[in-house]
Amino acid sequence: MAPPFFAIISGAGSGTGAALARRFAQSYAVVLLSRKPSSYEPIVADIRASGGTAIGITADASDPAAVDAAFARIDEEWPGSKLAAAVYNGGAGMARKPFLELQLSDLDISIETAARGLFYFAQKSLPLLLSAVDSAPHPPSLLVTGATASVRGSAFFSTFAAGKFAQRAITQSLAREFGPRGVHVALAVIDGSIDTPWGKERVVNNGVEDGKISPDAIAESYWHLHTQHRSAFTQELDIRPFVEKF
Amino acid sequence: MAPPFFAIISGAGSGTGAALARRFAQSYAVVLLSRKPSSYEPIVADIRASGGTAIGITADASDPAAVDAAFARIDEEWPGSKLAAAVYNGGAGMARKPFLELQLSDLDISIETAARGLFYFAQKSLPLLLSAVDSAPHPPSLLVTGATASVRGSAFFSTFAAGKFAQRAITQSLAREFGPRGVHVALAVIDGSIDTPWGKERVVNNGVEDGKISPDAIAESYWHLHTQHRSAFTQELDIRPFVEKF
Amino acid sequence: MAPPFFAIISGAGSGTGAALARRFAQSYAVVLLSRKPSSYEPIVADIRASGGTAIGITADASDPAAVDAAFARIDEEWPGSKLAAAVYNGGAGMARKPFLELQLSDLDISIETAARGLFYFAQKSLPLLLSAVDSAPHPPSLLVTGATASVRGSAFFSTFAAGKFAQRAITQSLAREFGPRGVHVALAVIDGSIDTPWGKERVVNNGVEDGKISPDAIAESYWHLHTQHRSAFTQELDIRPFVEKF
Amino acid sequence: MAPPFFAIISGAGSGTGAALARRFAQSYAVVLLSRKPSSYEPIVADIRASGGTAIGITADASDPAAVDAAFARIDEEWPGSKLAAAVYNGGAGMARKPFLELQLSDLDISIETAARGLFYFAQKSLPLLLSAVDSAPHPPSLLVTGATASVRGSAFFSTFAAGKFAQRAITQSLAREFGPRGVHVALAVIDGSIDTPWGKERVVNNGVEDGKISPDAIAESYWHLHTQHRSAFTQELDIRPFVEKF
């Protein structure tokens, strides 16, 4: 039987994506999008083991055809289910290089991942979110994962920042257009290293405890954004470790 | 018997202050500061009726001597109790006037309320918050209520914006100094009218439902800020009605 | 004979581009890039009539091959001439539309014009600017024309803002990387309508005199940026009519 | 005989103030305000020796009575002379200290110097600037000297930032109110050390040449701001050495 509401998490294979999927699965069925089944399978299993509902779909969120297919698949699996939250949790695209060593393709990848992917994901999600405004338990939400580079173009990060700035522009525009229609669009500017299972050896902030951002803590903030009353929407917040310089 | 932890809310007589006091009272004993007993008395009664612990203290938060007396009083009432959260929820100071009709005293009042008051309140609170870092259930927090004028100097709001900008400067500086020591300092930029009991007749956003900010919704966001893991502190967030132009 | 120094102005067919070409032609030979010869021909003629040196090259600044060809052509025409200033004065890409009526191609055009074009133009220009650092009369400069949408994602402007935000990101990154090497990289955020010969009938700011930005005034600010001492570089400035709301 | 137009420079004793006075003296009679005659005397002599017109007035720009007296004195000296430009070039107030070691008086001094002083100086200047709108050769201007701390509250700089943020708020509000009336109000955010005669031994940016900001270069940018056409006002620009990290 189709669940009444679901959430969709792109980039579910990242540490943040996995935590988001688990958090939203406490209240909704969840769809995990990621490029490889191996990224979402353990999380889907985990959610199911905890009594939740989850499906994984193999899709590159920056590929329109794959996103089309994913939404079609959801409609088949769970006909009539309403979209309560869509999270665009982008990956990668970060090339740290002197500008003169970069290629146009570095820029293209960053734009594709951060901006073009969000654009298309939003075009598929927003009509569904709009149609859930009157029935969903919380304002339907489009939540986007930004980075330091969303608000600062550092030396050697020109292409990464270009994509992340463009993503922030889209998020702001959508907030201003769809907020008044009842959809909550917000950006979380993640300013620091995330504590992922596969990055344990990387030392940041002198290795101090909690010097890397807990993905579960990020997920709590997204859940808070999602559950905000419509009279009190946050459009943008920053998230960083207590010891991070900023 | 002294409660293990308490929160202190200044400007407890405002709609936001009352909501904050009620929200934090679900987990802590709370101290309500406001200029007139009539502002805090019903809220204190309300909290006690719900099984919470609360005291009200008559004090103008922008008056150093009154703040000194308030902290001394708390120490007498609840010796050994630790400060888990201090909320500087300023009031007033808003003069909307052509610049050439303003007086230096308009500027002074705004600075006193928004900046000088925060400065002194922070000087009293931070040593107590620091001493709670190791034992408190959540990172001890200094939370500050900003406004649109914290980030924008509009025409005819020069003095109000001056105070609010100064307040934001202090908040940022404190976040950078005390974050690494485990205290969470954050600013909420409230961008819109608040739905207070005494402002029901004021029409904003064409009178649309939820076009004024729910004080309880603000309080939820402050509580979220307070409970953020120290690896994932938010330093600043905006809060506005879904229909608000920005 | 090759002039000792030249400036290159992309988007020379716009009102701003023409004014920039004329202003920089007072001190340097200038190259005007635009998509159609009819855009640059009258300006080139004008500059020559005033005793200046100018050539026009037909090239779409967002097309890498065309930009390659343009730089090769300059090298043939003026071998050994040094690049004193490169101005990326983008055009177009502005689609004002509800988000759900936009196509990915609207996003692509904006990114191509504002960000991809700048990226490639900068990759060709920066090595030449670097090689002029020791000999040029003023710090060699890469100057970029931004817009309101560089700093604000308004409703219905998602794709335009995406390109302009991305452009700003690149400009910031380049300023941070190439400033210390002696090249001045700056962004002018043009916030208002420009007073072009072909837009005289469009009414803005209630038709008040000087309610549209004078292209010559913009050109003066770019010239000021170019002539700033390297101890006092401006990275970003806004330009708007005195009556413009902001 | 009274000159037709004059400029007034507060904080004329600083390196920047002296350079500003000299630059504006190329076109206007100038009034130099500073706390000690020894600060302005050599500059006044210098300007006169170059054929310019200048008077020095001993006044603390943050003292309303002193500012009143200064404006009265100007009216006596040069009756009927119009004010073309007023520059609020604040001094001092910078205390770099751990927050818990600061006193309320540190905050008061910063607010007084940066914000209260500007407020009063603006109240005296703006009526005069407004009355010059129709006759002055350039839009009458109120120009303000900001600092890094105008836009960033760094650790240990809470009081300095408070004053500078407040100053920026006032400047923004005035720009929005008086711009449409023809007066140009702008802030220059000086982000770096200034190369003053008395600070030669202080090493910044590893002692690299031009690693400190040339006061004359700052003055050129102020002059550019002053001479901007009213269709193309800049409200805020940053100024920093090419090697400065930002």
Side-chain angles (χ1 to χ4, degrees):
Chain A
M1 206 186 63
F5 294 102
F6 71 100
I8 181 166
I9 316 288
S10 81
S14 72
T16 307
L20 287 164
R22 283 193 189 92
R23 184 64 188 82
F24 281 73
Q26 293 177 28
S27 297
Y28 301 122
V30 293
V31 177
L32 293 85
L33 296 190
S34 71
R35 265 165 292 198
K36 291 177 301 182
S38 60
S39 297
Y40 59 71
E41 279 164 355
I43 313 159
V44 167
D46 208 31
I47 290 170
R48 289 176 180 169
S50 311
T53 302
I55 54 171
I57 301 180
T58 309
D60 178 343
S62 65
D63 172 5
V67 172
D68 277 347
F71 277 87
R73 163 86 190 284
I74 296 165
D75 197 43
E76 270 172 38
E77 290 267 341
W78 296 335
S81 192
K82 296 263 188 192
L83 181 59
V87 182
Y88 192 77
N89 176 53
M94 178 150 82
R96 189 190 183 285
K97 273 192 200 172
F99 179 68
L100 296 174
E101 294 176 20
L102 289 163
Q103 306 294 322
L104 267 172
S105 57
D106 292 307
L107 176 62
D108 293 342
I109 289 166
S110 174
I111 293 290
E112 201 169 291
T113 311
R116 223 173 175 273
L118 169 61
F119 181 94
Y120 200 73
F121 182 81
Q123 287 212 323
K124 300 298 288 188
S125 303
L126 282 164
L128 304 183
L129 293 165
L130 285 169
S131 80
V133 164
D134 291 332
S135 58
H138 302 289
S141 307
L142 172 61
L143 306 176
V144 180
T145 302
T148 318
S150 301
V151 293
R152 183 187 155 82
S154 298
F156 306 127
F157 284 100
S158 58
T159 53
F160 184 54
K164 287 309 221 181
F165 268 57
Q167 179 184 71
R168 183 173 180 242
I170 294 171
T171 307
Q172 268 187 22
S173 293
L174 296 181
R176 291 187 165 107
E177 181 174 351
F178 292 94
R181 301 176 67 185
V183 174
H184 187 182
V185 182
L187 178 73
V189 176
I190 310 295
D191 182 25
S193 292
I194 298 173
D195 188 20
T196 55
W198 52 87
K200 290 295 179 198
E201 74 297 334
R202 193 161 34 95
V203 176
V204 297
N205 285 322
N206 303 313
V208 70
E209 200 188 336
D210 299 327
K212 292 180 192 175
I213 308 175
S214 152
D216 289 337
I218 294 176
E220 279 307 320
S221 284
Y222 280 59
W223 183 253
H224 174 67
L225 288 171
H226 174 57
T227 58
Q228 283 182 320
H229 187 249
R230 69 173 181 164
S231 78
F233 281 170
T234 290
Q235 207 284 301
E236 191 168 303
L237 53 69
D238 52 297
I239 292 178
R240 70 174 60 77
F242 71 118
V243 289
E244 190 79 19
K245 284 263 189 312
F246 72 104
Chain B
M1 206 186 64
F5 295 102
F6 71 102
I8 180 166
I9 316 288
S10 81
S14 73
T16 306
L20 287 163
R22 285 193 188 91
R23 184 63 189 85
F24 281 73
Q26 293 177 29
S27 298
Y28 302 123
V30 293
V31 178
L32 293 84
L33 297 190
S34 70
R35 265 165 290 197
K36 291 178 301 184
S38 60
S39 298
Y40 59 71
E41 278 164 356
I43 313 160
V44 167
D46 208 31
I47 290 170
R48 289 177 180 168
S50 311
T53 302
I55 53 172
I57 301 179
T58 309
D60 178 343
S62 64
D63 171 5
V67 172
D68 278 347
F71 277 87
R73 163 88 188 283
I74 296 165
D75 197 44
E76 270 172 38
E77 291 268 340
W78 298 333
S81 193
K82 297 261 186 191
L83 180 60
V87 181
Y88 191 77
N89 176 54
M94 178 150 80
R96 189 190 184 286
K97 271 193 200 169
F99 179 68
L100 296 174
E101 295 175 20
L102 290 162
Q103 306 294 323
L104 267 173
S105 58
D106 292 306
L107 177 63
D108 292 342
I109 289 166
S110 174
I111 292 289
E112 199 168 293
T113 311
R116 223 173 175 273
L118 169 61
F119 181 94
Y120 200 72
F121 182 80
Q123 288 212 324
K124 299 298 287 189
S125 302
L126 282 163
L128 303 185
L129 293 166
L130 285 169
S131 82
V133 165
D134 292 333
S135 58
H138 302 289
S141 307
L142 173 60
L143 306 176
V144 180
T145 301
T148 317
S150 301
V151 293
R152 183 185 156 83
S154 298
F156 306 128
F157 284 101
S158 57
T159 52
F160 184 53
K164 287 306 218 181
F165 268 57
Q167 180 185 71
R168 183 174 181 239
I170 294 171
T171 308
Q172 269 187 22
S173 293
L174 296 181
R176 291 187 164 107
E177 181 173 350
F178 292 92
R181 300 176 68 184
V183 174
H184 186 182
V185 182
L187 178 73
V189 176
I190 310 296
D191 181 26
S193 291
I194 298 174
D195 187 19
T196 55
W198 52 86
K200 291 294 179 198
E201 74 299 334
R202 193 162 32 96
V203 176
V204 297
N205 285 320
N206 304 312
V208 71
E209 198 188 335
D210 299 329
K212 291 181 192 174
I213 309 176
S214 151
D216 290 337
I218 294 176
E220 279 307 319
S221 285
Y222 280 60
W223 183 253
H224 174 66
L225 287 170
H226 173 57
T227 59
Q228 284 183 318
H229 188 250
R230 69 174 181 164
S231 78
F233 281 168
T234 291
Q235 207 282 301
E236 189 168 304
L237 52 72
D238 51 299
I239 291 179
R240 72 175 60 76
F242 70 118
V243 290
E244 189 79 18
K245 284 264 186 313
F246 72 104
Chain C
M1 207 185 66
F5 294 103
F6 71 100
I8 180 166
I9 316 289
S10 82
S14 72
T16 308
L20 287 163
R22 284 193 189 93
R23 184 63 187 84
F24 281 73
Q26 293 177 28
S27 296
Y28 301 123
V30 293
V31 177
L32 293 84
L33 296 190
S34 71
R35 266 166 289 197
K36 291 177 300 183
S38 60
S39 298
Y40 58 71
E41 279 163 355
I43 312 159
V44 167
D46 208 32
I47 290 170
R48 288 177 180 169
S50 311
T53 302
I55 53 172
I57 301 179
T58 310
D60 178 344
S62 64
D63 172 6
V67 172
D68 278 348
F71 277 87
R73 163 87 190 284
I74 296 165
D75 197 43
E76 270 172 40
E77 290 267 340
W78 297 334
S81 193
K82 297 262 187 191
L83 181 59
V87 182
Y88 191 77
N89 176 53
M94 178 150 81
R96 189 190 184 286
K97 273 193 200 171
F99 179 68
L100 296 174
E101 295 175 20
L102 289 163
Q103 307 294 322
L104 268 172
S105 57
D106 292 308
L107 178 62
D108 293 342
I109 289 167
S110 174
I111 293 289
E112 201 168 291
T113 310
R116 222 173 175 272
L118 169 61
F119 181 93
Y120 199 72
F121 182 81
Q123 287 212 324
K124 299 298 288 188
S125 303
L126 281 163
L128 303 184
L129 293 166
L130 284 169
S131 81
V133 165
D134 292 332
S135 57
H138 303 288
S141 308
L142 173 61
L143 306 177
V144 180
T145 302
T148 317
S150 301
V151 292
R152 182 185 157 82
S154 299
F156 306 128
F157 284 100
S158 58
T159 53
F160 184 54
K164 287 308 220 181
F165 268 58
Q167 179 184 71
R168 184 173 180 242
I170 294 171
T171 307
Q172 268 187 22
S173 294
L174 296 181
R176 290 186 165 109
E177 181 174 350
F178 292 92
R181 301 176 68 184
V183 174
H184 186 182
V185 182
L187 179 73
V189 176
I190 310 296
D191 182 25
S193 293
I194 298 174
D195 188 18
T196 54
W198 52 86
K200 290 294 178 195
E201 74 297 335
R202 194 162 32 95
V203 175
V204 298
N205 284 322
N206 303 314
V208 70
E209 200 189 334
D210 299 328
K212 293 181 190 173
I213 309 175
S214 152
D216 290 336
I218 295 177
E220 279 307 319
S221 284
Y222 280 59
W223 183 253
H224 174 66
L225 288 170
H226 173 56
T227 58
Q228 283 182 319
H229 188 250
R230 69 174 181 165
S231 77
F233 280 169
T234 289
Q235 208 284 300
E236 191 168 302
L237 53 71
D238 52 298
I239 292 178
R240 72 175 59 77
F242 70 117
V243 289
E244 189 79 19
K245 285 263 188 312
F246 71 102
Chain D
M1 207 185 64
F5 295 102
F6 71 101
I8 180 166
I9 316 288
S10 81
S14 72
T16 307
L20 286 164
R22 284 192 189 93
R23 183 64 187 82
F24 281 72
Q26 293 177 28
S27 297
Y28 301 124
V30 294
V31 177
L32 292 84
L33 296 190
S34 71
R35 265 165 290 198
K36 291 176 300 183
S38 60
S39 297
Y40 59 70
E41 279 163 355
I43 313 159
V44 167
D46 208 30
I47 290 170
R48 290 176 179 171
S50 311
T53 303
I55 54 172
I57 301 179
T58 309
D60 178 343
S62 64
D63 172 5
V67 171
D68 278 349
F71 277 87
R73 163 89 189 283
I74 296 165
D75 197 43
E76 270 172 39
E77 290 267 341
W78 298 333
S81 194
K82 297 262 186 190
L83 180 60
V87 182
Y88 192 76
N89 176 53
M94 178 149 81
R96 188 190 185 286
K97 271 194 201 170
F99 179 69
L100 296 174
E101 295 176 20
L102 289 161
Q103 306 294 322
L104 268 173
S105 58
D106 292 306
L107 177 62
D108 293 342
I109 290 165
S110 174
I111 292 290
E112 200 169 291
T113 311
R116 223 173 174 274
L118 169 61
F119 181 94
Y120 200 72
F121 182 80
Q123 287 212 323
K124 299 298 286 188
S125 301
L126 281 163
L128 303 184
L129 293 166
L130 284 168
S131 81
V133 165
D134 292 332
S135 57
H138 302 288
S141 307
L142 172 61
L143 306 176
V144 180
T145 301
T148 315
S150 301
V151 292
R152 182 186 157 83
S154 299
F156 306 127
F157 284 101
S158 57
T159 52
F160 184 54
K164 287 307 220 180
F165 268 57
Q167 179 185 71
R168 184 174 180 240
I170 294 170
T171 307
Q172 269 187 22
S173 293
L174 296 181
R176 291 186 164 107
E177 182 174 350
F178 292 92
R181 301 176 69 184
V183 174
H184 187 181
V185 182
L187 179 73
V189 177
I190 310 296
D191 182 25
S193 291
I194 298 174
D195 188 19
T196 55
W198 52 87
K200 291 294 179 197
E201 73 298 334
R202 194 162 31 96
V203 175
V204 297
N205 285 320
N206 303 313
V208 70
E209 199 189 335
D210 298 328
K212 292 182 192 172
I213 308 176
S214 152
D216 289 336
I218 294 176
E220 279 306 321
S221 284
Y222 280 58
W223 183 253
H224 174 66
L225 288 170
H226 173 56
T227 58
Q228 283 183 319
H229 187 250
R230 70 173 180 164
S231 78
F233 280 169
T234 290
Q235 207 283 302
E236 189 167 304
L237 52 71
D238 50 297
I239 292 178
R240 71 175 60 77
F242 71 116
V243 290
E244 191 78 20
K245 284 264 189 310
F246 72 104

